[in-house]
Amino acid sequence: KWENDSETDIVVIKAAGGKAFCAGGDIRAVTEAGKVGNSLAQDFFREEYILNNAIGSCRKPYVAIIDGITMGGGVGLSVHGRFRVATEKTLFAMPETAIGLFPDVGGGYFLPRLRGKLGLFLALTGFRLKGRDVQRAGVATHFVESKKIPELEKELVDLKSPSDADVSRLLESFQKQSNLDSDKGFVLDKHISDIDRLFGSSSVEGIVQNLKADGSEFARKQAETLSKMSPTSLKITFRQLQEGATLSLQDVLVMEYRLSQACMRGHDFYEGVRAVLIDKDQNPRWNPSTLEEVSDQLVDECFGSLGEKDLTF
């Protein structure tokens, strides 16, 4: 509607509430629906992925102001758009492997396109990026201080039939006025070559082996993090990013829809949501409980076609 509407020149998406852009609270409703076989478990992901694709192909300038917590679904609402503006309050993560899911909403498209193995690292570990680092990682396109956002919004809205170049110029000018934290380096700078080396394996088991053998504090920490994640999720995610690296956003979303439905049929998603979001005991009992027990056949089945239930655009 907006693309074809001559009155609409630009789409700006921002948070309601102030604390988060979107923190993934939608997961609970989907869990309840999945348990009882309610169609929301299919409809939610279908609608969400169709929206992600619409954002990715939007012909008019699309600006997401990701001020606050931006995880899971909130990443899908922003990262495929042409402009993503982070502030010092932005907290980005794709923490899905901790709840028996995978970094969906087109994660298979944007994550492998970050530099080196950074995307794979973020996808498997759920590592959190804050403020300016969200831009430095390539997740956001611009960084503007939070207090300047109301003025930025006003100027964006006042632009007359703006082109991408016009919006880009305006964002650049606001970014130039934002010096907060500019003297601090990227939080992962000193680990980037380690990440490329340690996560450059052809399997998740290989990555874990690399981390354990490395012995550095950083590697030890990542190995410990991965040991808490759903083994099935880790293997699905690894392959999702491997395949997604050469696919279009649409094809990635078709693949991810199949994966979402595999997770709805499985065990770990419900157990992960229980442990992390509902009972909050942080003690999920994964099944299978080890990487070795997650067979290639099991992973293949998750990627299998759903026939007429496949996602179509």
Side-chain angles (χ1 to χ4, degrees):
K1 219 178 190 173
W2 288 337
E3 278 190 311
N4 299 320
D5 175 18
S6 59
E7 298 293 300
T8 305
D9 287 328
I10 185 170
V11 179
V12 180
I13 179 170
K14 62 174 182 172
K19 184 181 172 195
F21 173 71
C22 169
D26 37 26
I27 286 292
R28 256 187 164 173
V30 177
T31 318
E32 295 307 313
K35 275 185 196 156
V36 295
N38 180 315
S39 73
L40 178 70
Q42 288 118 52
D43 303 345
F44 174 82
F45 289 104
R46 189 180 295 275
E47 292 291 329
E48 185 177 27
Y49 296 177
I50 288 170
L51 175 58
N52 298 149
N53 182 62
I55 291 167
S57 59
C58 184
R59 292 191 303 272
K60 291 184 174 172
Y62 181 98
V63 185
I65 297 174
I66 54 172
D67 187 24
I69 301 167
T70 307
M71 297 185 184
V75 175
L77 294 174
S78 53
V79 80
H80 306 298
R82 176 79 179 74
F83 303 103
R84 291 92 66 186
V85 182
T87 74
E88 73 278 8
K89 294 180 183 168
T90 306
L91 174 63
F92 161 91
M94 293 299 272
E96 288 81 3
T97 56
I99 55 164
L101 208 53
F102 58 97
D104 65 331
V105 295
Y109 181 79
F110 86 87
L111 288 163
R113 284 165 176 77
L114 299 178
R115 63 182 162 184
K117 293 290 174 189
L118 179 60
L120 182 62
F121 165 74
L122 295 171
L124 295 176
T125 64
F127 186 89
R128 295 174 166 210
L129 292 169
K130 297 181 179 121
R132 211 177 264 278
D133 286 340
V134 179
Q135 184 204 9
R136 289 176 172 139
V139 175
T141 56
H142 296 80
F143 176 84
V144 175
E145 284 168 31
S146 197
K147 63 178 187 223
K148 295 190 164 72
I149 293 294
E151 191 192 337
L152 172 63
E153 274 181 51
K154 188 185 175 309
E155 292 201 24
L156 281 169
V157 171
D158 288 347
L159 288 171
K160 296 279 172 276
S161 327
S163 63
D164 276 349
D166 298 332
V167 175
S168 195
R169 269 194 298 275
L170 181 61
L171 291 173
E172 292 288 335
S173 77
F174 270 82
Q175 179 167 273
K176 282 198 182 86
Q177 305 162 37
S178 301
N179 298 318
L180 193 70
D181 296 336
S182 59
D183 52 333
K184 292 183 191 156
F186 180 42
V187 67
L188 290 171
D189 258 347
K190 57 181 181 291
H191 302 301
I192 283 290
S193 59
D194 295 333
I195 288 171
D196 288 348
R197 179 171 53 83
L198 298 166
F199 284 76
S201 176
S202 58
S203 69
V204 182
E205 289 92 333
I207 291 172
V208 171
Q209 228 167 348
N210 288 348
L211 291 168
K212 285 182 173 163
D214 185 74
S216 69
E217 171 69 8
F218 177 76
R220 201 181 52 72
K221 224 177 199 167
Q222 306 322 315
E224 194 184 324
T225 298
L226 293 183
S227 72
K228 296 181 176 134
M229 304 306 191
S230 154
T232 305
S233 290
L234 290 174
K235 287 209 170 175
I236 287 175
T237 300
F238 184 86
R239 180 155 156 203
Q240 170 205 2
L241 266 64
Q242 222 176 10
E243 304 220 345
T246 57
L247 297 174
S248 67
L249 176 59
Q250 268 197 10
D251 289 342
V252 164
L253 291 166
V254 170
M255 167 179 77
E256 291 181 357
Y257 186 72
R258 292 171 179 175
L259 295 176
S260 77
Q261 297 312 295
C263 290
M264 292 301 110
R265 296 191 301 268
H267 162 276
D268 279 7
F269 173 61
Y270 302 101
E271 175 58 10
V273 170
R274 179 204 66 72
V276 177
L277 299 177
I278 297 173
D279 298 342
K280 298 188 177 170
D281 59 19
Q282 310 301 331
N283 188 25
R285 291 185 171 79
W286 305 124
N287 185 17
S289 61
T290 65
L291 287 167
E292 290 66 34
E293 289 172 276
V294 182
S295 67
D296 290 347
Q297 187 195 346
L298 181 87
V299 176
D300 287 344
E301 280 167 12
C302 295
F303 284 82
S305 167
L306 299 169
E308 60 193 36
K309 288 188 171 167
D310 259 339
L311 177 63
T312 51
F313 295 101

